[in-house]
Amino acid sequence: MTLPPDAPPSRTLAEIADALDGRLVGDGDIVIRRIAHPAEAGADDLALAIEKDALASLVGTAARTALVATGAEPPRRLAGFVAVERPRYALARLLALFEQRPYAPPGVHPSAVVDPTARLGEHVSVGPLVHVGPGAAIGAGTAILAQATVGAGARIGAQCRIHPGVRIGERVVLGDRVILQPNACIGGDGFSYATPEPGSVETARSSGRVTGRNTAIARIPSLGTVVLGDEVEVGAGSTIDRATIGATVVGRGTKIDNLVLVAHNVTIGENCLICGNVGISGSVRIGDRVVLAGGAGVADHLSIGDDSIVMGNAAVASDLPAGGLFIGQPAMPRQEFLRQLRNLRRLGRMHEKLGEIDKRLEAVESADRDGRAG
């Protein structure tokens, strides 16, 4: 059941410890109504003290309870605390307990337009000014918030959360528990064009020189679709283009940050992390559990192996093997990048030494000339 905005959830300290697989010390019956930084925590708040600085902030505050890392020693005046092994993972589970989802009562808002042939599951929420096209299917418990659009024939799974302004194109397929943040666009046409004769890009690739001219540009229609697996999340303002004839695919559990471009025909594996401002060109293949850090770019028709990490602002210009850590422009193994960086730092000293050698050679040659002249 979706709670209205004025009814935040509350939990006892014992319930929190159980949900986090943490160790409870003290009074487990204390009711926690809010999560807060120690410096701002009140008597009914759980103070987040999983870092050393925050733990020190517990002294002199009104907090009665805290979440701490295993091995930490919180002030004895606390009425209770929960100790956890992996604090950041515990934080994710804790905040999920207290998450207030957007207000989305079941039913169709009077201002929404839902085609008569669309199929809505139980407890679906369709918000103000939403449009659901013909033949679309929306799974049970899914919330489609204000001014979002769902194209004809699209299929949305159960318990999805579609935030305001999202655009879901025709025939797009979403799995269960997918979250699309505001203004994400899933299923726009790919950036795909052709010229009657070899154009500027083709000639530059083949010969290294721009000899062709783009005298006309023909649009290549995108007949395919986009398929997002279960528990995929897509950030605000991100776009995932439909494939030319098949499907652009994002695997189960993958998380995509804000302002990311996933071009047509791309395949992304499971449990990947795609950070903000990443650009993935067409027909790229990305394996499972890959991390692309902020601002990274991937050229078209390349592959990145499982478990690789591409660091921030890297430019991927060739295939990358599995399990590597890559950085640079073009992207290369981190150790190679650091070696090149060390060599660059030596250039100043090398220039000075070469200057000294040059002076010595000049002195030797001058002496030799003077000797021959005498």
Side-chain angles (χ1 to χ4, degrees):
M1 177 179 177
T2 303
L3 296 170
D6 58 351
S10 60
R11 301 284 190 275
T12 67
L13 193 63
E15 289 173 336
I16 292 172
D18 184 62
L20 304 186
D21 296 324
R23 181 173 64 91
L24 172 65
V25 177
D27 186 358
D29 293 329
I30 298 174
V31 176
I32 305 299
R33 305 191 185 281
R34 193 173 73 108
I35 310 300
H37 187 277
E40 302 171 353
D44 295 331
D45 300 334
L46 180 69
L48 286 179
I50 55 179
E51 298 177 351
K52 290 183 178 180
D53 292 344
L55 187 66
S57 299
L58 278 173
V59 178
T61 69
R64 293 191 301 155
T65 61
L67 179 73
V68 302
T70 296
E73 296 184 4
R76 293 185 178 181
R77 67 169 183 79
L78 292 180
F81 65 88
V82 176
V84 292
E85 291 288 343
R86 286 187 52 79
R88 187 162 178 81
Y89 183 66
L91 176 63
R93 298 167 72 183
L94 172 66
L95 296 185
L97 290 176
F98 286 82
E99 182 180 15
Q100 288 182 258
R101 297 192 177 190
Y103 182 57
V108 178
H109 191 275
S111 66
V113 177
V114 179
D115 189 274
T117 62
R119 304 186 305 278
L120 307 185
E122 293 183 352
H123 307 297
V124 164
S125 176
V126 179
L129 301 176
V130 167
H131 180 268
V132 180
I138 301 172
T142 286
I144 303 179
L145 303 181
Q147 299 184 349
T149 58
V150 180
R155 301 204 309 274
I156 300 176
Q159 300 295 326
C160 295
R161 196 186 318 169
I162 312 301
H163 283 267
V166 166
R167 303 291 178 248
I168 298 173
E170 296 189 356
R171 307 182 308 282
V172 166
V173 178
L174 274 59
D176 297 335
R177 299 174 298 283
V178 169
I179 298 176
L180 305 181
Q181 296 292 344
N183 298 316
C185 180
I186 313 300
D189 283 351
F191 189 76
S192 191
Y193 300 88
T195 54
E197 302 294 336
S200 59
V201 175
E202 287 180 81
T203 56
R205 281 181 170 177
S206 61
S207 66
R209 296 183 299 116
V210 179
T211 57
R213 298 292 182 269
N214 300 331
T215 56
I217 300 176
R219 178 175 179 272
I220 299 176
S222 298
L223 306 184
T225 187
V226 175
V227 177
L228 306 185
D230 295 345
E231 298 170 4
V232 165
E233 299 186 19
V234 180
S238 291
T239 61
I240 303 178
D241 292 346
R242 65 175 65 248
T244 305
I245 54 175
T248 301
V249 178
V250 179
R252 177 186 60 81
T254 285
K255 316 301 182 187
I256 297 175
D257 198 0
N258 301 337
L259 300 175
V260 169
L261 165 64
V262 179
H264 61 287
N265 303 335
V266 168
T267 297
I268 300 176
E270 297 183 352
N271 294 319
C272 295
L273 291 171
I274 314 296
C275 301
N277 287 307
V278 163
I280 303 173
S281 302
S283 301
V284 166
R285 296 292 180 266
I286 296 175
D288 295 335
R289 301 172 300 280
V290 169
V291 177
L292 301 183
V298 185
D300 59 282
H301 292 83
L302 298 180
S303 65
I304 299 177
D306 296 347
D307 301 299
S308 289
I309 298 176
V310 177
M311 299 177 71
N313 294 311
V316 180
S318 60
D319 292 344
L320 300 182
L325 180 60
F326 304 96
I327 188 174
Q329 298 174 345
M332 63 189 74
R334 182 172 178 272
Q335 290 303 317
E336 180 180 344
F337 175 83
L338 293 176
R339 179 180 60 80
Q340 292 188 9
L341 189 61
R342 287 193 295 270
N343 290 338
L344 284 173
R345 289 175 174 174
R346 295 187 182 112
L347 286 178
R349 295 195 300 272
M350 292 174 63
H351 180 73
E352 293 177 359
K353 289 181 179 180
L354 286 173
E356 294 173 0
I357 293 171
D358 187 55
K359 289 179 181 179
R360 292 176 182 176
L361 286 174
E362 287 182 358
V364 170
E365 291 173 353
S366 176
D368 184 59
R369 286 194 299 268
D370 291 346
R372 288 198 303 268

